[in-house]
């Protein structure tokens, strides 16, 4: 196994058949398997061959987890924050990734900056999180506002949602890189997986008590 | 006179001497004269030759206004909103432009999105304005938040303040163009003058009662 | 309701079924509903379920308005100006938005800058408007010429129409942002809705006499 | 000599001393010599060494022409059209280039698109030209309007004048390339020389009667 | 009629039916009609309704010309120069445009810069032309080489042919704008029509003898 | 105080005098003060007025820390990894920021990807860190290699070091955003401060035992 | 034949029928024929007509080679190095091109920078090569690492594989151009053919002993 | 020593004093030392301290070579080809690099594509070279033409020379990457050193007879 106990496969550009054979090989050696960017059509084929897997259609993720829960990050949770319905695919890619890799997730959706009070209504829930993932397209301003509300790390995920001068996510990406709030770092456009993965790495470090040592953990 | 009673000169790239002779010619025919982008050095030379002019150093504007106050937009005010000290030159270019052209201005500075509560402390003052000018550099997210708070028109002015991936203001510009709040329109990077001018045009239209007709007014 | 009496839904990326259920929920609480970016196919499905709605195919808009006309902006009109047939979808998105939100619209189409006299033939009609929306693709020069003719605010809407070095509307967008005419502000590429919405906000402010106060009106 | 009787030297990046020695060598073999992009300082040094040369400071051009006038393009003239004072260096680079290479030039300056009537006041003078050079910065919309007024070729020269989203002339360049008027072709940003040179090539072809054959002429 | 005797319609984005009705209206008032960017499918429909029109599939142009040949540019010819088979659509758009508008055309194809001797084999034919149109994609270097060979005007037409770092024609466009050969001007990416039209305007001017005056000619 | 006990001032574009007065005001209310982007010249003036501050010239940072060490992150360390001497300013901005905010730092410099074995010689030291900051200009490949070696979070900081097609740091920025190694997130070009700040937030979370609760800590 | 004994045809945008007739004509005059960018569908048609050709589906190449092996580059081999399965099409385009043109190829795949030890396991095999072709998408960091390991020339081939901020291969391209390892040169995005061709030219030069002279060889 | 017997230092951004101490340290361990990007001022200081070094002002290179000539590449030569005087700094950086690293160089300057016959006059000298380095700014077309003339590898070096739409060398870079001639690979803008270094690696491989084995040679 490459980097840890969980194995992640990037499904884009692979056929259902290729994914099935990769996944069967991996199952022998891993406790968790995650395949991202899997369309509903491909998922049908894969689940037929691997019925113990689960498909999350919004997240476009197929995953399998064994029962051993020792790795579970027991303390705290990750907040996944997004504005509207359009960014949900990416937000769910982040959220499901984090859950499969062992973290609890609080989803706080429909809280765009143009309606700031809906976001503020969730301020406490967000501030109590160990780490936040903020997903936003169009102008991508949400991470700046969240970053100013919290004192924990914020992983910003720009999406390609929008049109015209959003230039396929460039607009949101630049916004996030230039944020004047401290404590924000950024992953690639539409990279919900990267957002979830980074957040879990941090969440893992924040486990007090009996947490596993870094090197024999998750990733 | 080009477009109305007030005459505006773009000072960038003109020598102090050129500005003096333009300004003297204009004074004969206009009630208000505004010269933007005038450095302190040039201003010294110009004020020497035209002592009745006033220089605002932060705004980098030289202006002159005669006493006839009939054009004054008596009802309401324009809110000029900016985040930090770095954007002040552009914010003041907008504010001073608006004042010289006949509007009252409320300045609401130091209210960046990374400290959302400072902005919200001013919510009522902003909502009561007839029109808002929102000036922001770096990620340029402020207009989106303001746009969500108010039901009047917002003129967004991106600035070139920042570094790295702000690409000289491109970041803030794209953010503002992609705003998911309605009621926002955008002018060129660092174009404080354009922000002030557009706001005055709107403020003028909003004058009830004895307001001058459109065609014989200000601009 | 989020921002006022009228409710606007962005139809792109939503299925007909999703739109139907959103729209039915909104009808209970709003006097006007506007859904933009609705293809002819989706419109058929929606109108079946909601027969009291109207579909404007060029504008790609579905809308519904109740009979109470008290919000109508009675004084003045908005000029919607466009060059050719290619920009009509965006121009009509602006015009229909403005009409549904309560303004009268004068359409002045087929007046590109390459045939300047056709534009000048309409000069008086344009100058009498309270506010103008100027829609242009390719080189996007029309707002500059209109801006020089009028002394009211101009909302410029760049479109993605063109090919090659227009880079999907970037060319027209940059032209409009750099306009040497004063009084022009710009919305996102192809954002006819934004053009119409901004114009109505201004038109609303310009209502003399018994106009509603800002906060209990339209948006 | 490389391409004809006139020899052109690009002065940028060459020292005054280098230019002097190039120019002395060329004088033996050419009837006309033109050096572009020569600052006032360099010009002082060069004129000292070559007193029979003339310096045009606005155009930043040094030139020398012998007395033989047989190459003169006797019929018609080239119109050089520009908006404001900021574009004059480039406009004059075009105009002086054209004059030294043997054409008559009509300068039509201060006719920006934001004041369309000033341009239209010159319509007949522009239409009578054999070819037009249109120089514009910022939004660069002037060539489209001129192109619609005339039925002769228009050479468009974008300039880097402007700020913010003009991106050093990119805005004007894209505008001109996307012009919806026919009969417009474009040269590099700030390339007044190229504008003048192309116009003379066309003007030369348009000489009726005793005009020299293409191959033994000017360039 | 807009700009002259010939009328040009841009077919892209218009249905066959729309084109038919435009064309029938124009036929009453014009001697020549040219419709560009017409696919084979649309052409079938149009020719059915307008059997006197001709379709050139490579050029994607439909045209009609009446018999009056008085406008024909009798002296000289236009050289249309292109590298490979991939650029032929654009080259033929230029060539057919020029022919319909009244010029003779010499096609010199398959002469890319990577095989310079094939180009040089045609040097004399190219040099004898009145004006050249040079069409090139990928690196777009051909106009520079041709520009160095000839002393007449060169209209450069970049194409979007290529992949990767050609960025849909940007590479060829920039190459042509930066050409170090004099006498080159540039039109939009893939704008074969613009190349042909500009060349005819120049060719027309070069008609000695009984040529029509500028204002009552072609365009 | 805005976000915690430590206060950070962005020194760029502020005069030495402005910084002195800000810093004096902050000292009354904070335990740690950090001013970034301070040139040697400005630092001289500031240290004169505030002799208890320390200046780190490479990092271009002035800071002050009181004696109370209770906030110190006692367990683990942050690795700051950089390739060559050119990136040291940014690397030290990150390292000094982290130290002032309470973390131990291991500097691992001169380990560029073109000499992979020097990096591998430090593999264990890097793997033992709680979090890594990787600073790189030019091609910016270092974070990908480090990301593959470690199982903790990596904060990647692109720098503007390089020339030509690095486009002022764009090259390194894009490289890092597209990294195929998991666990990497990115801050703005040259934002060493952001790298250090994010790393400390994570390091703080990783303190086992008696660590302060999130909300009453550092930032 | 244009440039040597082998003839290469770029299949993109040509129909199967066009390729068949080109290939039949070339066979008479050449010892090797290579057609790149041929889809499986087209390949079926072509092989039917030309059964002596071979199709490599991954490489999307059709080729034919006569039996004369005298041109074979007998000494040494070319290493083709690539990270993952996504870049295989381009890597195989390079590898098959090199083989058809007469070189031995060692394929070293699945060695991305995020798992540096897999690459290092192949260090000796790579170092023994005469020249390396390194194919990489996403961040494109692989050539820098390889360049640091070897003292022979490296041809870097960026691919368009990736999403978001990879901007269709721009990210990998810039990375490779900015490499801080010496001895790397770069070809166009996805240009596996160019990588293979350049490598063979170098491999050919490196033939000691009885190698053919440059001018009567391969290309 | 990092990669071979010769040691190369990038002088940009290092002080003369830093360079002196680096160079003194290296001299103990290397046979050849090369410092690039050294201004005349710095060179004066360095040569004072290290009088056995030589400075080439055009190339901006300081170097030292010991007497042992065994590494000299005795067979063949490298052609360095450039258009005009403006590209000489980069061309000489390439040429001097190649000479110091042990190759003979033939300089073929003043052969731009706009005067193709001057280039063709040198065709044989270029074709006889083992490898060519082609340096070009502005449109950067020269490598395509050279690539078509020769059957050996061509290293293309774009320069930032030019203005306007050359975008600091982007134009030439894209031209070279898109070349339709085979056998061309590209290095970074203005990277004369990279051009020279790559060419020497290839030249070295082409040494027949007693040439050193790859691993104990030059680099
Ligand atoms: N065509 C449009 N372009 C841009 N924004 C729009 C458009 N139509 C609607 N909107 C905005 O999108 C919001 C609704 O988004 P949603 O909640 O996704 O339906 C509205 O309140 C409008 O502000
Ligand atoms: N201002 C200018 N912009 C662009 N090209 C120019 C300019 N002035 C001269 N040239 C061209 O540069 C060539 C001379 O370049 P050079 O040999 O470097 O002096 C002339 O033949 C012209 O084609
Ligand atoms: N070098 C830096 N780069 C980016 N942001 C910084 C830097 N230094 C400080 N900051 C941020 O700028 C804020 C202070 O800005 P200001 O109020 O203008 O001094 C701090 O709270 C930090 O978040
Ligand atoms: N995949 C490829 N990418 C780039 N250039 C290619 C490719 N395949 C062939 N070529 C080049 O294209 C030329 C043939 O182009 P064509 O004449 O259009 O078939 C060959 O001589 C090669 O130089
Ligand atoms: Mg925070
Ligand atoms: Mg609002
Ligand atoms: Mg106006
Ligand atoms: Mg015209
Ligand atoms: Mg020429
Ligand atoms: Mg890792
Ligand atoms: Mg190497
Ligand atoms: Mg070749």
């Amino acid at each position: 196994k490459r980097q840890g106990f969980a194995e992640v496969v990037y499904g884009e550009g692979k056929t259902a058949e290729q994914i099935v054979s990769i996944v069967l090989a991996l199952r022998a050696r891993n406790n968790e398997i995650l395949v991202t960017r899997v369309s509903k059509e491909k998922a049908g084929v894969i689940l037929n061959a691997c019925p113990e897997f689960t498909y999350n259609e919004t997240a476009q993720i197929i995953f399998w987890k064994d029962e051993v829960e020792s790795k579970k990050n027991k303390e705290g949770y990750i907040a996944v924050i997004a504005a509207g319905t359009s960014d949900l695919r990416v937000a769910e890619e982040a959220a499901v990734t984090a859950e499969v890799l062992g973290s609890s997730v609080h989803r706080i959706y429909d809280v765009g900056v143009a309606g700031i009070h809906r976001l503020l209504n969730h301020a406490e829930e967000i501030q109590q999180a160990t780490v936040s993932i903020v997903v936003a397209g169009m102008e991508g301003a949400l991470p700046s506002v969240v970053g100013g509300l919290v004192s924990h790390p914020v992983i910003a995920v720009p999406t390609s949602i929008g049109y015209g001068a959003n230039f396929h996510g460039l607009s949101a990406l630049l916004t996030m890189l230039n944020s004047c709030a401290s404590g924000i770092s950024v992953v690639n456009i539409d990279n919900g997986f990267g957002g979830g993965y980074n957040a879990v790495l941090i969440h893992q470090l924040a486990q007090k008590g009996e947490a596993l040592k870094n090197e024999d953990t998750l990733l």
Side-chain angles (χ1 to χ4, degrees), chain A residues 85-86 138 163:
Chain A
T85 51
S86 341
M138 298 177 78
Y163 64 87

Side-chain angles (χ1 to χ4, degrees), chain A residues 108-161:
Chain A
I108 299 160
Y109 293 165
D110 197 22
V111 291
V113 293
I116 200 73
H117 288 295
R118 279 174 298 161
L119 179 68
L120 296 179
N121 289 343
H122 295 273
E124 210 183 305
E125 186 179 7
I126 297 173
Q127 284 162 338
Q128 301 292 339
T130 304
V131 51
S132 290
I133 302 168
V134 188
V135 178
M138 298 177 78
E139 79 261 65
L142 197 51
S144 290
V145 179
V146 172
L149 291 176
V150 305
S151 54
H152 58 243
V154 172
I155 312 293
V157 187
T159 77
S160 57
I161 294 300

Side-chain angles (χ1 to χ4, degrees), chain A residues 73 75-80 93-95 97-99 101-105 129-134 152-157 185 187 191-207 218-219:
Chain A
N73 301 321
E75 301 168 31
Y77 57 87
I78 296 172
V80 178
E93 186 178 296
T97 294
E99 288 173 337
L101 298 185
S103 290
S104 300
V105 168
T130 304
V131 51
S132 290
I133 302 168
V134 188
H152 58 243
V154 172
I155 312 293
V157 187
S185 63
V187 297
N191 190 4
F193 163 73
Y197 191 102
N198 276 286
V200 170
L201 283 188
I202 295 170
H203 193 203
Q204 169 83 19
L205 284 172
Q207 298 306 308
L218 180 63
L219 303 156

